[in-house]
Amino acid sequence: MQISDLPYPDPGVPDARSGPRFLVWLGRGQLGGQLKSLCWGMVHFGGVAGLPYAVGLGVEAVVEHDGARLLWVGALLLLLGVAISLGDSMLHRTAVTNWITAAARVQQLLARKTAELGSALTRRVAAGEVVAVSTGDVEKIGWFVEAVSRFLAAAFSVVLVCVGLLFYAPAIGVVVAIGIPVVALAVLPLLPRATQRADVQREKAGRATELASDTVAGLRVLRGIGGEELFLGRYREASQEVREAAVRSARMWAVISAIQVVLPGALLITVVWYGSALVLDGRLTVGQLVAAFSAVATMLYPLRHFEEIAMAYSFSRPSAKRAARVLSLTRAAGKAAEPEGGHGAAVAAPAPGGDLCDPRTGLLAPAGRFTAVVCGDPDLAGRLADRLGGHPMDPDGGASALLGGVELDALALDTARGLVLVQDKDPVLLSGTLRELLGVPASGAVEAGAALAAAQCADVLDALLQSAPDGVSDPMDVRITERGRSLSGGQRQRLALARSLVTDPEVLVLDEPTSAVDSHTEARIADGIAALRAGRTTVVLASSPLLLDRADQVVLIHEGAVAAVGTHRELLRDDRRYRAVVTRETEEEQRLSRLGHVLTEIEESA
């Protein structure tokens, strides 16, 4: 895989059972790149490992006044220099390629999972955690994938040096062969504590990121209630905790780095002292001593990669764990992970004109009719909207919604979303022109102008024209800023409704589509939805009488099940639970109302 080939046509199905398993899966997916990097690393580190022997041979040639041999040593040094230079360049190139391809694969997987789960994702995982995984965690995961091949090449050079010295200078080679593994493995007892401190740092950094993300998302509300300083203080405390955790982690890594300097230095002194004694005794030549000294000195370079791989794994393991947690989420909570591509089993799409049913609550939305649903619990309404869209995220799982008798979450994701479109209570507008916003996959039966008119967007178009740069006369060509921040909440809501209407899906589910508009506009929107969606299945979760009065039927959900079905006026007259939700009557008001009704009946009978 080359960088020019990215993104992957299919990033694959990750092993998200744990962080280490996810890292292993990533490594297996890049075996070709890892082998390339390993080969170039062996060329590079092999050249480094060969330098001490070449230097030793050169010293011996000088001592013995052997000019021809010295020329051969010079040619060998030139060859080793070329190998070191070329190997280093290509090792860097291939390692960076591994890093980028691993990061790209993880980001593609996260993007696919985000698209699969939609707005239900943030009900299972905090938005700040998703941001942290897709930014900083991706970098840490890529670092480990990149470092593996360099570490293996460095380990190869260490083994090569130790074995070579045993044959070239056995008397001093034994000391080096014993000392270098001791130096390389001396930091192992400290790694668990260093890893633990790194985990604490990552956890605190993740919480700080989540707090910052949530604060920014609710900044307008915080300013309205004067809560900016309060949350700023909380973020300061969280950032200070991150700083303290980072310092504690850095101290441990500093100790590990110090050991990696002190122990090789001690080994170098031991080799010089013991080797000098061997030279004086005639058991070792000067060239062999220089070779042993050079070998230990050059080993400081590959030994640094032992520390790097330990740090890379320590930092990437919690990052991989967080990524695996996000990637393990499925459309239906509690069910097994889905097949490749995030699709469900190969179930045929239902025939057009089927009823929409939710077995868990007993809700039935007849085909071609406008059904309004009243829930006293807003959280239940959100979960119900998710189930009706074919991607339930309830913690306890449960039965899927049915369309025409077919389970929606058993359909392929694109099929399910093509049949049922769900607009949640907080829809997002992406940046771009209004024409691009409404340029979504649609049946073509509803024009953009008709959808905008039904959603009562005339004043929104006027506002866009007023803010448009010179030369732009068509509101469809006016650019909307990120998340529609330049518009009011009601304007954003109406544009999102127009986008949903223009798609003209077989089933449209709207969760509180008019919660941010005034009553007069809401009444006109209700008429527009009823007229534009005539003959199409529409489900609106709301408690506004203006919307409920336009519905063909109203369903009351009480304590998780259907409690009553009828028209708005029938339920308002006959069902006190419905009346309590819709009119916001208190228990005392309900008691007085019932008492007045009884007195009226007594008077009429008298």
Side-chain angles (χ1 to χ4, degrees), residues 387-439:
R387 284 202 303 276
L388 295 178
H391 38 95
M393 297 298 290
D394 286 355
D396 53 350
S400 164
L402 306 175
L403 180 61
V406 177
E407 290 190 3
L408 282 174
D409 64 357
L411 296 172
L413 182 60
D414 53 354
T415 302
R417 288 191 174 167
L419 293 170
V420 183
L421 173 64
V422 178
Q423 177 181 305
D424 62 22
K425 64 182 64 178
D426 188 23
V428 175
L429 301 182
L430 302 180
S431 61
T433 64
L434 183 56
R435 193 182 309 278
E436 292 170 341
L437 175 69
L438 300 180

Side-chain angles (χ1 to χ4, degrees), residues 106-118:
V106 176
Q107 287 179 327
Q108 278 187 258
L109 290 169
L110 291 171
R112 187 175 70 181
K113 182 60 64 175
T114 302
E116 174 191 334
L117 300 180

Side-chain angles (χ1 to χ4, degrees), residues 17-327:
R17 289 176 291 176
S18 66
R21 288 177 183 270
F22 180 59
L23 291 174
V24 170
W25 176 83
L26 275 178
R28 285 205 314 266
Q30 293 182 208
L31 285 179
Q34 293 287 355
L35 287 175
K36 287 182 182 178
S37 186
L38 177 60
C39 290
W40 285 114
M42 292 172 68
V43 170
H44 171 65
F45 285 107
V48 172
L51 282 177
Y53 308 112
V55 171
L57 291 173
V59 170
E60 290 182 355
V62 172
V63 172
E64 298 174 5
H65 303 286
D66 189 342
R69 187 178 173 188
L70 188 59
L71 287 175
W72 280 108
V73 171
L76 177 60
L77 286 172
L78 178 61
L79 180 62
L80 292 174
V82 171
I84 292 172
S85 178
L86 180 62
D88 188 32
S89 300
M90 296 306 297
L91 172 61
H92 178 74
R93 179 185 178 89
T94 53
V96 170
T97 300
N98 289 335
W99 185 95
I100 293 176
T101 50
R105 187 191 294 271
V106 176
Q107 287 179 327
Q108 278 187 258
L109 290 169
L110 291 171
R112 187 175 70 181
K113 182 60 64 175
T114 302
E116 174 191 334
L117 300 180
S119 61
L121 174 63
T122 53
R123 295 193 179 100
R124 299 280 298 277
V125 181
E129 182 171 350
V130 178
V131 173
V133 171
S134 60
T135 53
D137 287 338
V138 167
E139 180 181 351
K140 300 297 187 299
I141 293 170
W143 178 27
F144 175 74
V145 173
E146 170 201 4
V148 168
S149 55
R150 284 206 306 270
F151 162 71
L152 293 176
F156 163 77
S157 69
V158 169
V159 173
L160 187 63
V161 166
C162 293
V163 173
L165 272 179
L166 285 175
F167 286 96
Y168 179 67
I172 196 69
V174 174
V175 176
V176 175
I178 295 174
I180 287 183
V182 170
V183 171
L185 302 177
V187 297
L188 284 181
L190 300 178
L191 288 180
R193 182 174 297 181
T195 301
Q196 181 181 10
R197 293 189 179 185
D199 290 349
V200 172
Q201 178 193 351
R202 295 297 301 163
E203 181 182 354
K204 291 183 180 295
R207 285 203 297 265
T209 302
E210 293 171 16
L211 179 60
S213 176
D214 295 341
T215 302
V216 171
L219 189 58
R220 181 177 296 180
V221 176
L222 291 176
R223 285 175 175 170
I225 62 176
E228 285 181 277
E229 289 300 323
L230 174 62
F231 276 81
L232 181 60
R234 291 181 180 177
Y235 181 72
R236 282 174 178 157
E237 292 177 2
S239 62
Q240 287 301 315
E241 291 179 0
V242 174
R243 181 188 62 80
E244 293 172 359
V247 170
R248 294 185 71 249
S249 178
R251 284 174 179 166
M252 182 55 65
W253 288 111
V255 171
I256 292 175
S257 298
I259 291 175
Q260 291 287 344
V261 173
V262 171
L263 291 184
L267 177 61
L268 195 62
I269 294 172
T270 301
V271 167
V272 173
W273 173 76
Y274 182 62
S276 299
L278 292 178
V279 171
L280 293 176
D281 291 343
R283 297 163 57 190
L284 192 70
T285 66
V286 175
Q288 290 174 329
L289 175 60
V290 172
F293 174 82
S294 301
V296 175
T298 54
M299 281 302 97
L300 294 178
Y301 170 55
L303 284 175
R304 285 205 300 267
H305 292 81
F306 285 70
E307 178 188 353
E308 181 194 19
I309 195 65
M311 291 184 66
Y313 180 73
S314 298
F315 282 93
S316 66
R317 188 173 61 83
S319 296
K321 180 180 178 181
R322 287 152 61 111
R325 177 171 177 255
V326 174
L327 295 174

Side-chain angles (χ1 to χ4, degrees), residues 372-540:
V373 180
V374 176
C375 295
D377 183 1
D379 291 335
L380 174 60
R383 295 195 298 271
L384 176 59
D386 286 333
R387 284 202 303 276
L388 295 178
H391 38 95
M393 297 298 290
D394 286 355
D396 53 350
S400 164
L402 306 175
L403 180 61
V406 177
E407 290 190 3
L408 282 174
D409 64 357
L411 296 172
L413 182 60
D414 53 354
T415 302
R417 288 191 174 167
L419 293 170
V420 183
L421 173 64
V422 178
Q423 177 181 305
D424 62 22
K425 64 182 64 178
D426 188 23
V428 175
L429 301 182
L430 302 180
S431 61
T433 64
L434 183 56
R435 193 182 309 278
E436 292 170 341
L437 175 69
L438 300 180
V440 293
S443 67
V446 178
E447 298 292 335
L452 290 168
Q456 300 299 308
C457 294
D459 64 314
V460 183
L461 301 181
D462 293 338
L464 289 174
L465 270 182
Q466 291 177 2
S467 62
D470 296 338
V472 178
S473 58
D474 189 346
M476 298 294 288
D477 295 325
V478 178
R479 187 171 184 81
I480 299 173
T481 58
E482 180 189 3
R483 299 179 66 91
R485 297 188 188 280
S486 59
L487 303 173
S488 68
Q491 290 173 330
R492 290 196 299 271
Q493 194 173 58
R494 282 178 281 164
L495 285 180
L497 176 59
R499 179 179 59 189
S500 298
L501 292 174
V502 82
T503 62
D504 188 39
E506 181 177 337
V507 179
L508 177 61
V509 179
L510 303 172
D511 187 3
E512 296 288 356
T514 58
S515 59
V517 300
D518 60 81
S519 57
H520 297 290
T521 304
E522 186 176 32
R524 294 195 295 269
I525 290 175
D527 291 333
I529 293 175
L532 198 63
R533 293 287 300 170
R536 306 287 271 171
T537 307
T538 306
V539 179
V540 177

